[in-house]
Amino acid sequence: MNPNNYPAEPFRIKSVEPVRMISRDEREKVISEAGYNTFLIPSDDVYIDLLTDSGTNAMSDRQWAGMMMGDEAYAGSRNFLHLEETVRELFGFRYLVPTHQGRGAENLLSQIAIRPGQYVPGNMYFTTTRYHQERNGGIFADVICDEAHDATLSIPFKGNVDLKKLQRLIEEKGAENIAYVCLAVTVNLAGGQPVSMRNIREVRELTARYGIKVFFDATRCVENAYFIREQEEGYEDKPMADIVREMFSYGDGCTMSGKKDCLVNIGGFLCLNDEELFSQAKELVVVYEGMPSYGGMAGRDMEAMAIGLRESMQFEYIEHRVKQVRYLGDRLLEAGIPVVEPIGGHAVFLDARRFCPHLTQEQFPAQSLAANLYLESGVRSMERGIVSAGRNRITGEHHRPKLETVRLTIPRRVYTYRHMDLVADAVISLYGRREQIKGLRFVYEPRQLRFFTARFEEIE
Ligand code: P70
């Protein structure tokens, strides 16, 4: 391992939050009371929390200073104007509609841009995104390249759209039956895999011929831009902000979960270029979120978001971010642990199919692996497999994703390399007793987004 590959933290720490490890006996009780669902574990019982990188980031001193300058006026808050100006400059979209988080923006976009029966092609599904598309009568169509569904293929830009699949869908269904293309940068459930600038450009060229709009899921756009700079010819010396802006120049708007690449704990927004769509979104935002000048966020949240978005484009920040995740992945790869390759931007994904070959997918291997990792070490992770995928709305059958994974998600600016070592050691130790991991069955299965609150028991 070359330590130069992993830059030291580009920050010093001036506020700390103690963490605490409870005993194995206590953890056994906790996970069984949580119904083997890591979402249901009280945070105080977690040692290292890799459930998500969503809203779990550490803010900078500047962001905290910004919080003190919150303008909590019901209408026309100056923090909104600052956020609007920042997003316009960095993303290049014309209009901004703030929302309480990413799914608020997905709700608005799905309502204004999908007619029932229309297809919504995307580079792999995401849980909340697909939910809102389907709720509004859309039919999700996966147009990501086949390689993305193969955990073992280590090739760059596995988030790319398969242009042939997209073209075939458009020609088969007719352009008027395509709502828009939803282009996620990076692709969460593929393993945090990026999309190349070339692919983004080609998606734009193809859809423009048919008059089809492209909306980005911008949630981890800065991470995507880092991969472009690192791995795509012609971008090695470009400032991050230029790369992000070029990416978005090929789209008509975006949804954003600010809880990721805006380096904040809460917030989101919808961006649009089209004036008519903007006007419809504003009519709806007052129903679901709040005034168009706050959308469910406090003034201080919008200020922290504006500052955080700019910070996330500093090269030292994003380089450390992506390479810290890679450090954990490299340690696991060296120990022969099956993980999704290459290592993506926000998380390392354990490949539960190879980790637990003794379990069938219906026995929820990734769910059980996540529960067992908690038991082993107090490390909390998240299932991203058949449980997350849910059921087909019409047939009631489980969706059976090829990728059956456990996500070790790294919050931004929160943990150190030594914490990554602890996590790696825990996974390696669990791998040594992997045959003991038992299958699970549902004791409670919610009807929508079941993974959040489902409960399970072990199959003896
Ligand atoms: C995660 C979080 C949120 C998210 C995302 C992408 C690519 C939209 C959103 C929604 C939180 C989460 C969400 C559903 C299931 C589990 C966890 N991802 N697009 O941990 O944004 O959460 O702000 O409404 O990753 O990956 P928001």
Side-chain angles (χ1 to χ4, degrees), residues 25-44:
D25 283 351
E26 287 171 301
R27 294 198 299 273
E28 220 166 279
K29 192 158 163 275
V30 167
I31 194 65
S32 136
E33 281 175 1
Y36 298 90
N37 184 351
T38 53
F39 278 100
L40 302 180
I41 301 173
S43 158
D44 276 348

Side-chain angles (χ1 to χ4, degrees), residues 43 46-52 56 378-381 409-411 415:
S43 158
V46 173
Y47 179 40
I48 296 178
D49 201 349
L50 306 188
L51 182 70
T52 180
T56 51
V379 173
R380 169 153 71 174
S381 57
T409 336
I410 317 301
Y415 293 114

Side-chain angles (χ1 to χ4, degrees), residues 159-412:
N160 280 358
V161 168
D162 181 331
L163 295 155
K164 289 207 189 76
K165 278 190 204 170
L166 178 57
Q167 179 150 21
R168 211 177 310 130
L169 182 81
I170 300 171
E171 298 204 327
E172 261 175 44
K173 308 297 177 191
E176 69 286 3
N177 293 317
I178 308 291
Y180 55 85
V181 174
C182 175
L183 190 54
V185 285
T186 58
V187 184
N188 189 349
L189 296 187
Q193 306 296 340
V195 182
S196 71
M197 190 71 87
R198 177 175 173 178
N199 190 251
I200 296 174
R201 207 179 296 124
E202 287 171 344
V203 168
R204 181 52 150 192
E205 283 163 10
L206 174 62
T207 49
R209 279 194 259 136
Y210 297 92
I212 296 169
K213 287 192 162 66
V214 175
F215 289 108
F216 285 92
D217 181 335
T219 297
R220 297 183 181 84
C221 60
V222 186
E223 289 166 14
N224 198 90
Y226 178 78
F227 285 103
I228 290 176
R229 174 168 156 139
E230 183 182 52
Q231 294 172 22
E232 195 164 348
E233 224 190 294
Y235 291 92
E236 41 291 282
D237 301 317
K238 284 243 163 85
M240 297 306 302
D242 291 10
I243 302 175
V244 170
R245 208 170 146 124
E246 183 184 341
M247 282 163 45
F248 291 149
S249 72
Y250 304 120
D252 300 284
C254 70
T255 55
M256 178 75 180
S257 169
K259 305 174 71 167
K260 284 79 164 177
D261 276 358
C262 293
L263 303 177
V264 288
N265 305 120
I266 193 71
F269 55 80
L270 169 66
C271 287
L272 297 161
N273 279 339
D274 184 272
E275 199 179 338
E276 171 54 29
L277 284 178
F278 173 56
S279 146
Q280 289 177 32
K282 267 199 306 190
E283 286 173 23
L284 285 179
V285 78
V286 295
V287 177
Y288 293 100
E289 308 282 329
M291 279 286 286
S293 61
Y294 74 87
M297 284 184 279
R300 55 179 174 271
D301 294 335
M302 293 190 281
E303 190 60 27
M305 203 168 180
I307 298 169
L309 186 58
R310 205 175 280 285
E311 281 180 6
S312 76
M313 296 197 192
Q314 287 165 3
F315 182 71
E316 294 69 27
Y317 154 75
I318 189 65
E319 181 190 33
H320 168 265
R321 158 60 175 168
V322 174
K323 291 193 171 171
Q324 187 188 41
V325 173
R326 195 173 294 163
Y327 174 80
L328 174 60
D330 287 349
R331 275 224 45 201
L332 294 175
L333 281 167
E334 273 165 29
I337 308 293
V339 298
V340 175
E341 291 185 69
I343 305 303
H346 67 304
V348 177
F349 289 66
L350 303 177
D351 183 354
R353 286 182 189 272
R354 283 181 290 154
F355 207 110
C356 303
H358 58 291
L359 299 179
T360 66
Q361 197 172 23
E362 282 70 24
Q363 295 172 323
F364 310 134
Q367 186 75 33
S368 190
L369 178 49
N372 275 275
L373 181 61
Y374 171 76
L375 187 59
E376 182 76 24
S377 59
V379 173
R380 169 153 71 174
S381 57
M382 186 192 289
E383 192 263 9
R384 300 274 75 174
I386 186 168
V387 177
S388 294
R391 291 179 185 274
N392 181 303
R393 277 205 155 205
I394 293 148
T395 66
E397 288 285 302
H398 290 297
H399 287 295
R400 286 188 178 72
K402 279 202 185 137
L403 292 178
E404 177 72 24
T405 65
V406 168
R407 191 181 71 175
L408 303 166
T409 336
I410 317 301
R412 298 166 185 78

Side-chain angles (χ1 to χ4, degrees), residues 32-233:
S32 136
E33 281 175 1
Y36 298 90
N37 184 351
T38 53
F39 278 100
L40 302 180
I41 301 173
S43 158
D44 276 348
D45 295 333
V46 173
Y47 179 40
I48 296 178
D49 201 349
L50 306 188
L51 182 70
T52 180
D53 62 333
S54 183
T56 51
N57 312 297
M59 293 208 295
S60 68
D61 50 358
R62 275 138 228 262
Q63 285 176 289
W64 280 107
M67 295 285 278
M68 291 305 293
M69 305 206 285
D71 169 2
E72 307 305 342
Y74 194 82
S77 161
R78 69 170 165 265
N79 310 119
F80 170 72
L81 298 174
H82 182 205
L83 178 63
E84 184 184 52
E85 172 194 302
T86 306
V87 174
R88 265 195 195 137
E89 177 197 321
L90 296 174
F91 285 11
F93 295 121
R94 219 166 285 150
Y95 302 113
L96 178 86
V97 184
T99 58
H100 74 286
Q101 59 184 80
R103 67 198 74 178
E106 292 169 348
N107 175 32
L108 301 182
L109 179 66
S110 302
Q111 288 201 43
I112 62 179
I114 300 174
R115 268 188 290 107
Q118 278 187 319
Y119 287 82
V120 192
N123 49 346
M124 203 170 265
Y125 87 100
F126 185 72
T127 52
T128 57
T129 319
R130 187 180 68 193
Y131 179 79
H132 283 293
Q133 292 166 356
E134 291 180 344
R135 214 176 107 93
N136 287 284
I139 305 162
F140 168 76
D142 192 1
V143 294
I144 202 167
C145 61
D146 286 336
E147 292 84 348
H149 294 282
D150 183 344
T152 61
L153 265 181
S154 188
I155 54 168
F157 300 114
K158 263 169 93 176
N160 280 358
V161 168
D162 181 331
L163 295 155
K164 289 207 189 76
K165 278 190 204 170
L166 178 57
Q167 179 150 21
R168 211 177 310 130
L169 182 81
I170 300 171
E171 298 204 327
E172 261 175 44
K173 308 297 177 191
E176 69 286 3
N177 293 317
I178 308 291
Y180 55 85
V181 174
C182 175
L183 190 54
V185 285
T186 58
V187 184
N188 189 349
L189 296 187
Q193 306 296 340
V195 182
S196 71
M197 190 71 87
R198 177 175 173 178
N199 190 251
I200 296 174
R201 207 179 296 124
E202 287 171 344
V203 168
R204 181 52 150 192
E205 283 163 10
L206 174 62
T207 49
R209 279 194 259 136
Y210 297 92
I212 296 169
K213 287 192 162 66
V214 175
F215 289 108
F216 285 92
D217 181 335
T219 297
R220 297 183 181 84
C221 60
V222 186
E223 289 166 14
N224 198 90
Y226 178 78
F227 285 103
I228 290 176
R229 174 168 156 139
E230 183 182 52
Q231 294 172 22
E232 195 164 348
E233 224 190 294

